[in-house]
Amino acid sequence: MLTNKTDSLITKKKDTIVADSIKKPKEVIDGIITHNAEDYTIQNAKNKTVTLFNKAHVTYQDINLKAGKIIVDYKNNTVYATGFKDSTGYVQRPVFKQGSQESEQDSILFNFKTEKALIYGVKTMQGEMITYGEQTKRVNDSTIYMRKLRFTTSKKENPDYYIATNKAKLVPGKKIIVGGSNLVLADVPTPVYLPFAYFPLSQSRTSGFIIPSWGENNQQGFFLQNGGYYFAINDYFDLQVTGDLYSNGSWAINTESNYSVRYKFSGGLRFRYQNLITGIRGFSDYSKTSKYNITWSHNQDSKSSPNSRLSASVNLGSSKFYKESLNEIDQSQYLTNTFNSSISYYKKFVGTPFNMNVTMTHSQNSNTEVIKMTLPSLQLNMDRIYPFAGKGGVKKNALQKVGLNYSMQGQYLINTTDEEFFTSKMFEEAKTGIQHNASANTNIKAFKFFTLSPNMSYKDVWYFNKINKHYDPNILNSNGNLGAAVNDTISGFTRFNEYNVGVSLSTNIYGTFNFKKGRLKALRHTVRPSISWSYRPDFATQHQLEVQQSADPNNILTYTPFESGIYGQPGSGISNSIGISLNNVLEAKVKPKDEDSDEEDKKVMILNNLNFSTSYNIAADSLRWSKVSYSASTRLFKDKMAVNLSGSLDPYQVTSEGVQIDKFNPSIFRIQQATLTANYSVSSKDFDNKEDDNESKSGNGAENNPPDVLGTDINPTNGFPNQRASANKKDTEKTAKLYHANIPWNVSFVYSSSYTNNGYSIAGIQSHTLGFSGNVELTPKWKVGFASGYDIQSGAFSYTRLNFSRDLDSWRFNFNWIPFGTRTSYNFFIGVKSSMLSDLKWDKNKPPDRTLF
């Protein structure tokens, strides 16, 4: 029996190839090409081309192309763009933009598939750098090769200067590498030639070398100054290290760093060290000195911490640094005799009336070389409180108006010299102390027109050592004889306190004088008299000690153990004095020139103040009247001139030895001291008519800005500073015109005179000087500045400085000159404004020569 079985071979086999392994060809053009033109668009279906004419525009992905004529070839995946000629010349040059890179050229052929391009007559901008290339091959979006290249930072159609080279490699946004190159000024080749060059194009700061300046003087010989390296560490911090080398062996190193964190803080730190040699080794005039200077500034953004603040302004170092430095550009420091530093931290305790201020200070006199420092000073203050005020802070009666104040100050004070600075000896005579001050006052209306103000104050002083004197028979005294009192400093807590009470009575008296004729309508005289009384007991007696001070046992010295304390010693003798002060103010009311106008009457200040003050000590047995202090000030010539007068009047006669006696002067008062100062500033704007004033107010150009102060110093390195921004198009068009007869200028005058009469030997004018400074804009790009003075009493000119500045568009020129005196010197600089080519410069520094006679 045959069994009908299914043949296994009949079963249909499944195809093992699930999908076709051959991929379809990828489209060359990944995106959509959009195009348009103003005149016409011609499509050629056979050759697969599209021709666009007049203001043609093609976009593809991140590529944007504009030109006068564009041909898109879909068959060869290319686009060709060019301009065209009309009556004005070759117009609508192709502008090719891909991402953030943009270039302008005569013609361009770009391949969408390979992203390569051939460009003729290209102009590109890489940051501040502008490049012109006759033939360019774009390999990809990160590499461009150029032939017959010119690159510059000048934005003119015909550049002021350019660097010419036959071949170069450009990596957009990163660098330019060129072969042999030559500097061309105003189309004239110069001998300046480089075999190769590298120019970084980073938008952020970059590290790099700083080219030094050169010069010579008759002390150190030839020198190179301000050469070094700039480190762009990160976005918040940088470092610049430069040095100076002199042919006689002198050298210097300078470090400067700036830091900034937005919305938090910013500052800068600078350290300079100089090792100076003068003369020749082996000769008597040979000397070797080391000098240093440290400056630091720190500013905290007020928004970062409203209730606490850290700030610093430090300037310390060798006292003679600025006067003997061979590379000091800031000439104003030469005229400064004192250097001050301060580092402070302020803290407000929220919810309380207290605040704290911790300060470290430094004061240095460059003439005496004396240095004073507080390391640190702690100040705790309490805002005035009204403990007896009514509900809601109501203060109606005298009790409710009682205000209390409290403050505490502690110091660690160091007095040292330049020689002992930064040594252990500077701490040996340091002084410490704490002082507490408390006061209370209120005011009462008396007799309707007077204000009566009682007050009381209390002071408590703490010291942590005291003076104890003993007699030593083996020590010479001030007379040259044996036997003197010697100080012993004893450690330990000690204190003293004192208080005083007082009251003052004041009022305001107004007098008005009206005028019926003329523009002057009224004069108003305000008088503010005040009389006060204060009383302080004798606190010194209870702390007084005695010691023998010579071989004579009856020669006794009376002293207190607090006599060397930083907050003084207890007040000696009873003080029971009456104070008198008088303040005067004189004003005028003037009608407008046009009586029919709607303008209001104008108030004119004739006398800002005329003050007198003195006191009378009831408890004194003689010389009860103090000197009369006076001051006055006013402004003249439409507030252009400020006049100030101050001084003192002595009511008592003086002997031939300079000792006051209890006898009044025949003329009641003797002018002991008087100082008169006047400041006056005038500029060309003061003579402009109203139309010009209106134009300047409505315009937005440079005319709104005040003239530059040309006394500013030249940065000798010109390496990585923030250069002044280039003028915009409107400013450029404006400055192209000459000023003709309207030349901007400004001049400032400072007059000072002092008179002294001590009553027995000195009487007359002690100083009589006139200072003047200003600047003139001869043209919109030429500026001249000056600063000098004349000593009328001595008949000689004071420190004089001249400054010349020329804006050369893409270049700048500065010349600072001190023509005569001990600081005769000059600084000359001409260089490119752009920081990218900042080393393209000529910097010449002529420091002051050594004075031989």
Side-chain angles (χ1 to χ4, degrees), residues 32-89:
I32 299 175
I33 299 177
T34 61
H35 53 76
N36 59 73
E38 187 170 295
D39 280 5
Y40 60 78
T41 301
I42 300 176
Q43 296 187 3
N44 189 324
K46 180 178 180 181
N47 296 324
K48 296 184 178 181
T49 63
V50 177
T51 302
L52 313 171
F53 187 78
N54 193 13
K55 296 184 180 180
H57 187 194
V58 172
T59 59
Y60 169 70
Q61 292 183 347
D62 63 339
I63 296 174
N64 192 313
L65 178 61
K66 296 179 182 180
K69 181 180 179 181
I70 298 178
I71 300 176
V72 182
D73 189 339
Y74 289 96
K75 184 177 181 180
N76 296 314
N77 305 312
T78 62
V79 58
Y80 174 73
T82 181
F84 60 83
K85 292 184 177 181
D86 62 6
S87 59
T88 60

Side-chain angles (χ1 to χ4, degrees), residues 776-815:
V776 181
E777 295 186 34
L778 300 177
T779 71
K781 297 183 179 181
W782 261 112
K783 298 179 181 179
V784 179
F786 59 91
S788 184
Y790 187 76
D791 191 327
I792 301 174
Q793 188 173 10
S794 302
F797 281 95
S798 61
Y799 188 83
T800 300
R801 185 175 183 181
L802 301 174
N803 311 280
F804 304 89
S805 177
R806 178 69 163 93
D807 185 356
L808 299 170
D809 295 329
S810 55
W811 291 59
R812 65 184 179 95
F813 157 78
N814 287 303
F815 182 66

Side-chain angles (χ1 to χ4, degrees), residues 13-33:
K13 294 182 179 181
K14 295 182 180 180
D15 194 350
T16 59
I17 302 176
V18 179
D20 193 352
S21 61
I22 301 176
K23 296 183 179 180
K24 296 182 180 179
K26 182 181 178 181
E27 296 290 339
V28 174
I29 300 177
D30 295 333
I32 299 175
I33 299 177

